[in-house]
Amino acid sequence: MRPITFALASLALASSVAAERGSDGHVSIIYWQAPSILNPYLSGGTKDIESSSLILEPLARHDEMGNLVPWLAAEIPTVKNGGVAADLTSITWKLRDDILWSDGSPLTAEDVVFTADYCMNPDGGCAQLADFDNIVAVDALDGSTVRITFDGPKPYPYAALVGATTPILQKNQFENCVGAKAPECTAENFGPIGTGPFRVTDFRPNDVISLEANPNYRDPTKPAFATVTFKGGGDAASAARAVLETGEFDYAWNLQLAPDVLANMEAAGKGAVVSAFGTLVERLMVNLTDPDPDLGDMRSTRDHPHPFLSDIAVRQALSMAIERDLLVEIGYGKAGQPTCNVVPAPAVFASSANDGCLVQDIEAAKKLLDDAGWAMGADGVRAKDGVRLSILYQTSTNAVRQDFQALIKQWWAEIGVETELRNLSASVFFGGDPGSPDTYQKFYADIEMYANNFEGADPEAYLGNWRCGLDPRPDTQWQGPNVPRYCSEAYDALLSEMSQTGDIDERARLGKAMNDMLMQDFVMIPLVHRGRVSAHADSLGGVKLNTWDSELWNVADWHRVK
């Protein structure tokens, strides 16, 4: 039985790169959370962002070590090379001169400008709007040069249009799909024209994507694979089995399975399990607003505060009741670490101020609720002023997550909190359909559990997710990253200060302060700092597991080991 390997990058199997495009035939990828859209601006779901990355590309990416590398841009702009203004108020990107869209037309600066305007449109519901904070103008200086101007000095100007979450859209395809019309453009959102190594031939939402090699891709020898099947759905166990035991698929993502289960599958000898730690945190999100169905379209909006989760004592007690070490043991083994932070890495940004959560304290949680006036009822459920501590706790359907739910329900029962458990298809839960009541953005529950992370090594844009005004609501088509509906002027002031701070130590101080504010306000409750765990067939070469960008970031380099 081979051990699971933990490193910043997975093993890249040695093999000669294919001599011509498509010469290695077919590759099959399985994500047990099925993509529902191929436009990452209309979904915060990782499965939608990563599947889109086969097709759409940004100006720059972060590689498997977290380094910023040019992609559609010719180089990374810096103050030294003149790409970043000396006063830090603008950044200028120069496009490569060999980039064509898959329809054969050239990529231009107008496409870049359009993409920024598309996300920043005030009538739209851009899921990635936080990445465009502080931008006041995006201008094409010529056919291949774009300048982004900020409202003041921006020491870290690499959020917008960098990484898998904010790729470039083709203006010609999407120009009639802006603002409120964006979600209505089914053909465009299901079949975007891209500059990436593959193009869509068929997309069945929440099921399967068929792709073929982009005939206009910039490297005539890539991609090595002529066609791709991207299968979605099922569960983590069946996805792992399809690579490690049956060999039906070449790559499986996000294998949330107990360590012994993965080790037993790997023993079949058909594939390798790979993992790497980045910034991925499994957490409970707390709904600060009232999800009562009687409120109609205004449920889970800031117009209606939550009847009991608005009390910080309740939120804190829920966290204190949890034994994070046990969650790690049963769910992740060496691929997990207990955490009290939503920003667990890089080390310079990791706070130690919240480490008290690492020790479960049921009795202290009970006292906290007693002192806050939540009296224990005869039925074992606490109440105050006619309001009972009764929680609807939802997450996606997944064996590890259902184990977590069961344990957390038990611990909360010990402190007098009643819990109803609900699990939803991951394809729906993480989808961006504004008509669905079951998306994590709508948050029609009291508590929900999932994991996410940030791209690259700087958390400024990520921390911007919890700025006032970014909450999902009807007028944003239920898009927006501020899922708890949090709003704090003090938090926003720290964010503004960080956006104008260049010194790394000061940035770290501010980043920790914002993390600590979120943690000590208990608007989210971190559980596990997760390693990304995936698997690939022994016959698949070129894989470099990347926790700082899309896992499929270098799919153009994948090839068949002969």
Side-chain angles (χ1 to χ4, degrees), residues 281-282 324 328 337-342 344 357-358 526-529:
V281 173
E282 188 82 14
R324 289 162 174 81
V328 170
Q337 302 166 353
T339 187
C340 301
N341 296 315
V342 74
C357 95
L358 296 175
L527 302 174
V528 180
H529 178 197

Side-chain angles (χ1 to χ4, degrees), residues 20 26 77-78 101 152 204 222 228 245 305 315 345 387 423 426:
E20 62 181 87
H26 189 74
T78 64
W101 294 101
R204 283 177 272 164
K222 297 178 182 179
V228 179
E245 293 185 344
R315 305 196 299 267
V387 176
N423 63 81

Side-chain angles (χ1 to χ4, degrees), residues 478-489:
W478 293 102
Q479 294 294 338
N482 191 345
V483 172
R485 284 68 163 153
Y486 179 67
C487 184
S488 164
E489 291 182 3

Side-chain angles (χ1 to χ4, degrees), residues 147-196:
R147 182 177 61 209
I148 301 174
T149 304
F150 304 102
D151 59 8
K154 185 78 169 175
Y156 191 83
Y158 307 112
L161 309 175
V162 172
T165 55
T166 56
I168 309 303
L169 301 178
Q170 189 191 62
K171 177 182 179 181
N172 187 56
Q173 184 184 28
F174 280 88
E175 60 185 344
N176 295 319
C177 299
V178 297
K181 294 181 180 179
E184 301 171 5
C185 292
T186 302
E188 292 81 359
N189 295 328
F190 286 4
I193 295 168
T195 59

